[in-house]
Amino acid sequence: MDTEETRIFYTILIASAVLATLVGFFVANIIRHQRKKMALEKEKLVNEILLLENERGRIAADLHDELGSLISAIKLNLECLDAPGEEDAQILARTGGYIDTTMQKIREISNNLMPKSLQRKGLYPAIKEFADMINHSAAVNVRYHGSDNLPSIESDKAIHLYRIVQEISNNAVKHASASKIDIGFSMVKNKLLLEIKDNGTGFDSTEAAKKQGHGLQNIMRRVDMLQGSVYLDSAPGKGTHYSIEIPL
């Protein structure tokens, strides 16, 4: 190439390099901005969920300690009353029964908000008690099983796993009309595997993943907070199978 052609070639080459650098810088800024935005959104979500759990704990304590104590005092005072007649005695007896039912409902609501067994005994006994509670309160057969080598789970992770089990199981009972639910924990390499299967009506898992209703969003958010992964297998009339892997 002659001198003029060489000059033009190097000018184009330099301009291309500058343009590529500017484009690269622009793209890098966009990616950095998106990552920062995602990190802020995730931090906001984590704070919202932590705030929600703290509020649930406070309400559960108020229900159990404050309202529960007040109703117990009412029951004691009621038992001290002498009924002047048979009809009045029956009214007092029925009222006492209503109070007992109210106390039981308060305990159930308090336990759903923040299970005592989760705080006292840990994740696996709390899940077992949750399964037993569903068995006694609904026409559903819930089976819980866990392998022998299960590790202890930190309290902050345990509450997320408990809520995941709670959400999936409640959805199976309320929306899928399931009569059988299997809940299991096992270890796969260095990951905790949670599997939940039901024989409910099922759904189109592809469409559900696209739409992500409120329940599925809650599950995905908590799994994401645990840096885990979700595998969902479901089809209309064939039940639903969740496989959730959590790194430890």
Side-chain angles (χ1 to χ4, degrees):
M1 292 186 295
D2 59 26
T3 305
E4 183 64 19
E5 289 178 338
T6 302
R7 185 181 64 80
I8 293 173
F9 173 77
Y10 281 112
T11 300
I12 294 173
L13 186 63
I14 292 171
S16 300
V18 170
L19 180 61
T21 302
L22 290 174
V23 170
F25 179 75
F26 180 70
V27 171
N29 272 341
I30 292 176
I31 293 173
R32 191 182 306 112
H33 177 72
Q34 286 296 110
R35 286 178 177 175
K36 185 177 180 180
K37 183 180 178 181
M38 290 174 63
L40 289 173
E41 288 178 351
K42 186 173 182 179
E43 183 181 358
K44 180 182 177 182
L45 177 62
V46 170
N47 290 333
E48 286 177 353
I49 291 178
L50 291 176
L51 182 63
L52 175 62
E53 293 298 344
N54 289 335
E55 189 65 12
R56 279 176 167 172
R58 185 190 66 78
I59 294 173
D62 287 346
L63 281 173
H64 186 272
D65 299 335
E66 301 295 334
L67 189 56
S69 298
L70 180 60
I71 293 178
S72 295
I74 293 172
K75 178 74 182 295
L76 288 173
N77 287 332
L78 187 66
E79 290 173 348
C80 292
L81 294 176
D82 291 325
E86 181 64 26
E87 185 177 350
D88 293 327
Q90 291 177 359
I91 293 173
L92 287 177
R94 284 199 301 272
T95 304
Y98 297 149
I99 291 175
D100 290 338
T101 301
T102 301
M103 283 295 296
Q104 181 60 33
K105 290 297 181 183
I106 288 175
R107 292 191 190 99
E108 290 176 5
I109 294 170
S110 177
N111 190 68
N112 283 332
L113 287 170
M114 184 57 67
K116 294 289 184 182
S117 58
L118 185 61
Q119 298 173 316
R120 296 172 181 171
K121 303 176 185 178
L123 175 64
Y124 312 116
I127 297 295
K128 177 67 168 59
E129 287 189 14
F130 173 73
D132 292 340
M133 182 181 68
I134 296 180
N135 282 328
H136 287 104
S137 62
V140 183
N141 178 20
V142 182
R143 296 182 296 181
Y144 167 77
H145 53 90
S147 59
D148 296 330
N149 62 335
L150 294 176
S152 59
I153 305 296
E154 300 170 6
S155 59
D156 57 337
K157 291 184 178 180
I159 187 62
H160 292 309
L161 285 165
Y162 185 90
R163 297 301 184 200
I164 290 168
V165 172
Q166 195 176 41
E167 183 77 43
I168 294 174
S169 301
N170 288 338
N171 287 343
V173 175
K174 293 179 181 179
H175 304 301
S177 302
S179 61
K180 293 181 181 179
I181 302 174
D182 287 324
I183 303 171
F185 283 98
S186 60
M187 287 297 297
V188 178
K189 296 182 179 179
N190 294 323
K191 295 181 179 180
L192 180 69
L193 175 63
L194 165 62
E195 291 190 279
I196 305 178
K197 304 176 185 178
D198 69 65
N199 66 342
T201 56
F203 52 86
D204 188 327
S205 57
T206 304
E207 287 299 316
K210 291 178 182 177
K211 296 179 181 178
Q212 284 203 11
H214 184 67
L216 187 56
Q217 278 187 358
N218 287 339
I219 295 166
M220 297 298 292
R221 286 169 180 170
R222 290 187 185 273
V223 172
D224 185 56
M225 288 176 65
L226 295 170
Q227 298 181 334
S229 54
V230 181
Y231 303 94
L232 175 59
D233 182 18
S234 184
K238 295 187 177 181
T240 303
H241 180 191
Y242 283 89
S243 294
I244 299 172
E245 293 182 353
I246 305 298
L248 298 178

